[in-house]
Amino acid sequence: MTVLHSDRIHRTELRVASRYPALSRHQREERLQLCEFHRCLSQGHMAEMGESAIPPDCMHQLGCYTDRRRRLIIPYCRPDGTAEIGKGGKPFVRWKPTPGSMRKVEGFGKPPKYLSPRGCGNRLYHAHLALSRARYAEHLADCNVPLVLTEGEKKAEALAVHWPQVVVVGLAGVWSWKDRRGGGEGQVLPELEEILLQGREVFLLFDSDAALNSKVFAALEAFARALMERGAYVRIIRLPSELDGRKNGVDDLIYRHGAQAFRSLVDIAQPAFRVKTTKEGDQHLFQFPRDPEESHFKALLAAAVLETDYRIRPGVGVMHWSGSHWVHLPGKTTKVMGPVLHRFMDQQGWQKRSLGVQNAVLQELVDRIE
């Protein structure tokens, strides 16, 4: 049975279940077993993929599925499309437990979102949507094709859709680019060592809390340095948080604000290191400040988020999207957008608020959303 056919059967099952909700436990288990056999996604997991900026017509190509325990199962593959093998010769998968089924783990503030098989270490995630295209392994081995490394499997799948010109590889977490399979302290994954990095442009794409969270910042710096030592030209794509403080991953940003907003941030990706020449030789200094220096950089980050809900109509003024319709905000444009920009800067942790910086950022932001 083809994947597309099984997807059609799964959607039929969902319609039946929604029409007749009073099913027996045995009938529900039969439906879950059918979904697991055909490797389908539940309705809830399909909605979750949609919120990760994955179009509905691409979901039947995803390798993940919902098992009989209602967990989201994410199989890993090698660059040639074969299954990644874990401990004991079993296929390597990660899974997302059902809400409320996980307890807190010692050393963590909250229960983990995803789990991996014990003792298997970490692996690189090659997006199934990218693997479904021709010549994926060839592009991965070509140092002329830019490489993007991001945290999370769903983010890798979203980028495979919205940025197909590059090769995207996902990490299970910010420190998951290394493990202890080689013994001793954590070492760079052997799967990552297999990728040609010498002279290659590599983009690091972490979530929007990278500059605010000290642990994520440390992981970003260590990873960038490890890539640089292997000859890569490393650039960092910075993501802004939402006006209400919500964190953005790349899938969140594309889903909330569109692919064009993300591409505008790719254009201003910054080199991860600057070279300082000293008597002892050249030093590579990591540069990812919490508060960027350039007003143009700040304005583009603000526009990527604010342009969705704020627009300026010439002769009318500032319009704000209420969720169902546009509302006119009376007052001079700069007077209305000034407090909004301050709120945005608060959520990014930016402290530089001199009049010159504020006016420069505000003026460019107004020009961009007009």
Side-chain angles (χ1 to χ4, degrees):
M1 182 177 293
T2 65
V3 176
L4 187 60
H5 188 196
S6 68
D7 181 61
R8 186 161 57 249
I9 289 177
H10 178 62
R11 283 187 275 121
T12 303
E13 290 291 317
L14 288 173
R15 285 196 294 269
V16 172
S18 62
R19 185 175 297 177
Y20 306 103
L23 296 174
S24 68
R25 178 180 178 183
H26 178 69
Q27 289 172 315
R28 288 198 300 270
E29 288 181 351
E30 281 185 338
R31 283 179 169 78
L32 287 170
Q33 288 172 358
L34 178 65
C35 294
E36 184 176 8
F37 177 76
H38 293 305
R39 298 295 174 92
C40 299
L41 288 168
S42 70
Q43 192 172 18
H45 287 150
M46 289 178 70
E48 184 178 328
M49 294 300 168
E51 292 176 358
S52 290
I54 300 173
D57 58 346
C58 294
M59 290 186 188
H60 68 276
Q61 295 177 310
L62 295 173
C64 53
Y65 61 94
T66 305
D67 72 353
R68 60 187 300 178
R69 295 166 63 182
R70 293 185 172 87
R71 303 178 303 177
L72 177 63
I73 307 298
I74 305 175
Y76 275 52
C77 291
R78 296 284 298 166
D80 59 2
T82 59
E84 183 70 72
I85 303 301
K87 192 174 182 180
K90 297 181 179 179
F92 182 88
V93 300
R94 291 223 306 154
W95 64 91
K96 184 178 183 180
T98 55
S101 65
M102 285 298 299
R103 298 179 179 178
K104 288 186 178 180
V105 178
E106 185 178 354
F108 292 86
K110 53 186 178 180
K113 290 183 178 180
Y114 294 87
L115 294 173
S116 303
R118 185 184 297 274
C120 288
N122 296 311
R123 299 291 192 279
L124 297 180
Y125 181 79
H126 301 280
H128 288 257
L129 293 177
L131 288 168
S132 65
R133 305 190 190 110
R135 302 171 62 191
Y136 174 80
E138 184 179 334
H139 291 156
L140 182 64
D142 187 354
C143 65
N144 295 312
V145 180
L147 174 67
V148 181
L149 295 160
T150 188
E151 50 170 317
E153 296 88 355
K154 290 184 293 184
K155 298 178 178 68
E157 298 287 1
L159 285 172
V161 176
H162 298 285
W163 197 8
Q165 299 85 357
V166 300
V167 175
V168 182
V169 175
L171 305 171
V174 295
W175 284 105
S176 297
W177 48 275
K178 62 180 183 177
D179 63 14
R180 293 186 175 86
R181 276 182 288 162
E185 293 296 326
Q187 298 178 3
V188 175
L189 297 181
E191 294 80 9
L192 185 60
E193 297 279 17
E194 294 174 0
I195 299 176
L196 181 61
L197 297 174
Q198 184 67 41
R200 191 170 200 164
E201 185 177 33
V202 178
F203 293 91
L204 292 185
L205 183 50
F206 282 16
D207 290 350
S208 61
D209 63 342
L212 299 174
N213 187 317
S214 59
K215 294 181 180 179
V216 178
F217 181 90
L220 181 65
E221 180 179 3
F223 192 22
R225 199 167 290 280
L227 294 169
M228 181 197 65
E229 291 171 353
R230 286 158 177 78
Y233 173 63
V234 186
R235 299 173 67 187
I236 299 175
I237 302 174
R238 189 170 192 146
L239 301 181
S241 297
E242 291 292 315
L243 190 59
D244 59 5
R246 285 178 296 170
K247 184 175 72 170
N248 268 323
V250 63
D251 54 342
D252 302 316
L253 186 80
I254 295 174
Y255 176 71
R256 294 166 181 166
H257 306 288
Q260 183 58 44
F262 167 67
R263 284 192 289 269
S264 69
L265 302 181
V266 174
D267 294 337
I268 58 171
Q270 300 290 299
F273 299 93
R274 63 180 179 88
V275 179
K276 180 180 179 182
T277 303
T278 64
K279 294 180 180 180
E280 290 77 19
D282 291 343
Q283 295 181 357
H284 291 82
L285 304 179
F286 184 67
Q287 53 176 9
F288 189 67
R290 171 181 292 190
D291 202 330
E293 294 288 341
E294 303 87 355
S295 59
H296 169 67
F297 190 90
K298 291 182 175 180
L300 281 173
L301 288 171
V305 169
L306 300 181
E307 192 174 11
T308 306
D309 294 330
Y310 292 89
R311 294 292 176 87
I312 298 173
R313 291 182 59 186
V316 177
V318 180
M319 307 294 292
H320 178 245
W321 179 252
S322 67
S324 59
H325 60 281
W326 290 96
V327 178
H328 176 237
L329 301 180
K332 190 178 179 181
T333 299
T334 53
K335 291 292 185 181
V336 174
M337 292 305 301
V340 176
L341 180 59
H342 275 292
R343 284 167 51 201
F344 174 81
M345 296 173 79
D346 289 340
Q347 299 303 335
Q348 316 312 312
W350 298 344
Q351 302 298 323
K352 297 177 182 178
R353 305 289 179 92
S354 67
L355 186 60
V357 171
Q358 183 73 13
N359 287 341
V361 176
L362 181 59
Q363 187 56 58
E364 184 172 350
L365 173 63
V366 168
D367 291 342
R368 290 185 175 277
I369 67 176
E370 187 171 14

